[in-house]
């Protein structure tokens, strides 16, 4: 069955039977080769399991399962299986707030550039429909879909994400905070519906997320429960043990996710200091490995001009470490800035070509705001007038339309970014707006600032 047809079928299946079967699947990277983590919701403690195979016709799960011991098991007639860690989660109120058993499981022994098929669930309640993903795709330079501030209502870009997933127009998803609007709304049912809507692409392409201000309720409990695999695997493997801040490598890129919300909504008194210390240590380690992994790209929810009081800490750490590119959201529009150090009103327009579509060897980190896929907070009708020569706010281009962007990492020196309108706003000044940028860095490394 074609993938797009499976999306439609899966959506119908969710509506008809989600109360019984495992649901709300999304996969994530662990920071280790040959592994893929999966989060899902089941409706009993199980034991809940994940089965995987290189064949879409592997035998239906049975009990007792044969647990996975080596990569050679992947091609056996009996599919390898791992047990999930199951935690009962209910939010706020036992009537509206029951989500179910939150599960995290790990698929191991995976071969690179190989398609795997998997199911999750348990024998009592049933298993999910068949899902698939390509592990460590190597047939092209990897492409990341990058977005933030994506809600269940007014989800204008969802159909485009489904189409892109069906056509494999991206390989990974970076989500820089503010999911569902809000995960905790209606006792958590808004979060349930949002995660169901994410399943058709999130179960096929790894979703790497960080929290925004809309996740802050009850110490980020909804976010942490629904993205627990990030903490369990990518977090542990990067030394944070957290889904709030963590890092991972993909090919030529060291990705670092962190929380800009800790200053306002810290869920432990010492989290601010813990995160900053971890960031310094992680980036020092990444710089020591820059010969093998030259690019460092960061993402978090807010940018420097959205809350300048705490960005002094972040700006100093990221800029000195030589972070090449930073993605964020919070502002529900698309902005691309000239490389700058915003907390000191320093910018580098000289690194850009005439139309600001190429940045070559910038002195500072480039910042991109991709906060316009759509949510219940309707977009403003204008984004202002770009002025890339204004050191305090060096805006190269912007759009008030709905949309999201893509990042493709071609080699050690060149990455390509492009942004597309998915739905123009009413009376848009440029209904077909699109943006295109090449970032060229010939010598990666720390900056002397």
């Amino acid at each position: 069955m074609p993938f797009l047809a499976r999306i439609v079928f899966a959506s119908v299946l969710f509506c008809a039977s989600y109360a019984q079967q495992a649901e709300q699947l999304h996969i994530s990277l662990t920071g280790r080769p040959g592994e893929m983590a999966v989060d899902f919701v089941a409706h009993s403690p199980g034991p809940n399991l994940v089965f995987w195979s290189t064949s879409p016709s592997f035998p239906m799960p049975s009990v007792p399962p044969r647990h996975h011991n080596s990569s050679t098991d992947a091609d056996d007639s009996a599919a390898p299986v791992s047990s999930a860690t199951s935690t009962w989660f209910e939010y706020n109120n036992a009537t509206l707030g029951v989500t179910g058993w939150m599960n995290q499981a790990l698929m191991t022994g995976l071969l690179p550039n190989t398609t795997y098929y998997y199911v999750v669930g348990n024998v009592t309640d049933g298993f999910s429909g068949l899902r698939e993903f390509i592990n460590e795709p190597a047939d092209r330079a990897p492409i990341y879909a990058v977005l933030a501030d994506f809600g269940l209502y007014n989800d204008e870009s969802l159909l485009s994400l489904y189409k892109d997933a069906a056509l494999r127009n991206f390989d990974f998803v970076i989500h820089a905070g503010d999911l569902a609007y809000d995960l905790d709304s209606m006792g958590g049912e808004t979060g349930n519906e949002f995660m169901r809507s994410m399943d058709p692409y999130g179960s096929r392409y790894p979703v790497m997320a960080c929290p925004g201000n809309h996740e802050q309720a009850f110490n980020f409990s909804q976010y942490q429960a629904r993205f627990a695999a990030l903490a369990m695997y990518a977090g542990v493997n990067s030394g944070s043990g957290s889904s709030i801040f963590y890092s991972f490598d993909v090919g030529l890129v060291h990705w670092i996710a962190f929380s800009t919300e800790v200053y306002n909504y810290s869920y432990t008194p010492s989290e601010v200091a813990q995160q900053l210390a971890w960031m310094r240590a992680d980036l020092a380690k990444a710089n020591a490995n820059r010969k093998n992994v030259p690019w460092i790209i960061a993402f978090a929810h807010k940018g420097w001009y959205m809350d300048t009081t705490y960005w002094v800490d972040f700006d100093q750490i990221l800029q000195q470490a030589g972070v090449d590119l930073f993605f964020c959201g919070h502002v529900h529009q698309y902005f691309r800035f000239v490389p700058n150090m915003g907390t000191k009103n320093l910018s580098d327009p000289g690194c850009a070509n005439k139309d600001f579509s190429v940045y070559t060897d910038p002195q500072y980190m480039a910042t991109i705001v991709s906060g316009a896929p759509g949510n219940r907070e309707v977009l403003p009708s204008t984004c202002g007038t770009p002025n890339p020569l204004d050191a305090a706010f060096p805006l190269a281009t912007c759009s008030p339309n709905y949309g999201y962007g893509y990042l493709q990492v071609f080699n050690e020196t060149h990455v390509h970014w492009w942004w597309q309108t998915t739905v123009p706003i009413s009376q848009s000044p440029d209904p077909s707006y699109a943006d295109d940028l090449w970032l060229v860095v010939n010598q990666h490394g720390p900056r002397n600032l």
Side-chain angles (χ1 to χ4, degrees):
M1 182 186 297
F3 181 64
L4 187 57
R6 286 203 299 274
I7 287 176
V8 175
F9 176 76
S11 299
V12 173
L13 182 64
F14 291 161
C15 294
S17 60
Y18 68 79
Q20 288 77 40
Q21 296 181 335
E23 54 153 342
Q24 301 181 40
L25 283 68
H26 57 101
I27 58 176
S28 59
L29 302 172
T30 71
R32 291 182 175 176
E35 295 182 349
M36 188 70 73
V38 58
D39 286 275
F40 63 95
V41 174
H43 298 277
S44 77
N48 290 304
L49 309 165
V50 56
F51 291 80
W52 68 96
S53 174
T54 55
S55 170
S57 58
F58 63 87
M60 288 301 294
S62 61
V63 174
R66 183 178 63 82
H67 283 264
H68 178 54
N69 293 313
S70 71
S71 61
T72 58
D73 290 345
D75 292 320
D76 293 350
S77 58
V81 58
S82 286
S83 298
T85 299
S86 300
T87 305
W88 176 253
F89 182 76
E90 62 181 67
Y91 180 77
N92 191 27
N93 145 341
T95 302
L96 290 176
V98 173
T99 297
W101 292 91
M102 312 295 285
N103 295 269
Q104 304 79 45
L106 184 65
M107 293 174 272
T108 59
L110 307 178
L111 302 174
N113 205 35
T114 301
T115 299
Y116 284 89
Y117 303 87
Y118 69 103
V119 297
V120 299
N122 62 67
V123 174
T124 302
D125 299 318
F127 287 84
S128 66
L130 192 67
R131 308 294 200 274
E132 67 182 81
F133 64 90
I134 301 175
N135 184 59
E136 299 169 36
D139 59 326
R140 67 180 182 196
I143 301 175
Y144 304 82
V146 182
L147 66 157
D149 301 87
F150 194 29
L152 177 65
Y153 305 107
N154 198 37
D155 53 358
E156 294 285 2
S157 298
L158 186 61
L159 182 58
S160 291
L161 279 166
Y162 284 170
K163 290 178 179 177
D164 278 346
L167 296 171
R168 200 191 152 211
N169 286 339
F170 55 78
D171 303 294
F172 309 93
V173 178
I174 301 295
H175 198 304
D178 278 10
L179 305 96
Y181 281 75
D182 292 344
L183 290 173
D184 62 286
S185 295
M186 297 295 295
E189 189 55 33
T190 297
N192 289 340
E193 290 296 335
F194 179 81
M195 301 307 290
R196 290 175 190 130
S197 74
M198 194 175 81
D199 185 313
Y201 62 89
S203 64
R204 192 184 194 198
Y205 302 101
V207 177
M208 310 305 286
C210 69
N213 54 293
H214 277 267
E215 281 73 70
Q216 59 85 21
F218 294 89
N219 293 333
F220 298 88
S221 60
Q222 282 272 340
Y223 171 82
Q224 292 189 84
R226 295 179 186 277
F227 290 87
L230 289 176
M232 190 175 295
Y233 301 111
V236 167
N237 292 336
S238 61
S240 73
S242 174
S243 61
I244 304 293
F245 52 96
Y246 62 92
S247 66
F248 58 98
D249 290 353
V250 178
L252 299 172
V253 182
H254 179 74
W255 288 92
I256 178 168
F258 63 96
S259 173
T260 54
E261 309 314 301
V262 293
Y263 288 83
N264 296 319
Y265 311 108
S266 182
Y267 69 94
T268 62
S270 61
E271 188 187 18
V272 171
Q274 290 175 349
Q275 179 175 246
L276 294 176
W278 174 84
M279 288 176 70
R280 292 185 184 98
D282 182 82
L283 288 168
K285 189 181 299 182
N287 267 305
N289 191 39
R290 218 129 186 199
K291 181 178 179 180
N292 300 311
V293 184
W295 293 94
I296 300 179
I297 302 176
F299 64 100
H301 186 56
K302 293 173 184 170
W304 92 92
Y305 67 95
M306 303 169 197
D307 196 331
T308 57
T309 55
Y310 59 70
W311 252 97
V312 172
D313 292 335
F314 294 137
D315 218 6
Q316 194 73 17
I317 292 172
L318 298 172
Q319 300 282 1
Q320 287 187 339
V323 172
D324 299 293
L325 184 59
F326 173 67
F327 290 108
C328 64
H330 191 60
V331 173
H332 300 162
Q333 293 177 321
Y334 172 65
F335 291 105
R336 173 164 63 83
F337 291 93
V338 172
N340 70 93
M341 189 169 184
T343 58
K344 294 186 177 181
N345 287 350
L346 298 173
S347 64
D348 185 17
C351 76
N353 65 343
K354 186 176 181 180
D355 66 356
F356 289 86
S357 64
V358 180
Y359 300 157
T360 302
D361 295 327
Q363 298 179 51
Y364 309 109
M365 179 176 72
T367 294
I368 293 174
V369 181
S370 187
N375 60 63
R376 72 186 183 205
E377 298 175 358
V378 178
L379 299 186
S381 60
T382 179
C383 63
T385 303
N387 182 2
L389 301 181
D390 178 2
F393 199 74
L395 184 60
T397 185
C398 67
S399 173
N401 293 343
Y402 295 101
Y404 55 91
Y406 311 81
L407 181 76
Q408 187 166 28
V409 181
F410 275 93
N411 53 37
E412 292 85 351
T413 58
H414 288 68
V415 299
H416 184 210
W417 164 259
W418 65 103
W419 192 94
Q420 68 176 22
T421 294
T422 54
V423 177
I425 63 168
S426 177
Q427 299 180 334
S428 172
D430 188 354
S432 59
Y433 174 91
D435 186 31
D436 191 276
L437 171 72
W438 282 93
L439 177 59
V440 182
V441 180
N442 292 295
Q443 186 66 46
H444 300 271
R447 300 183 183 97
N448 294 319
L449 298 173

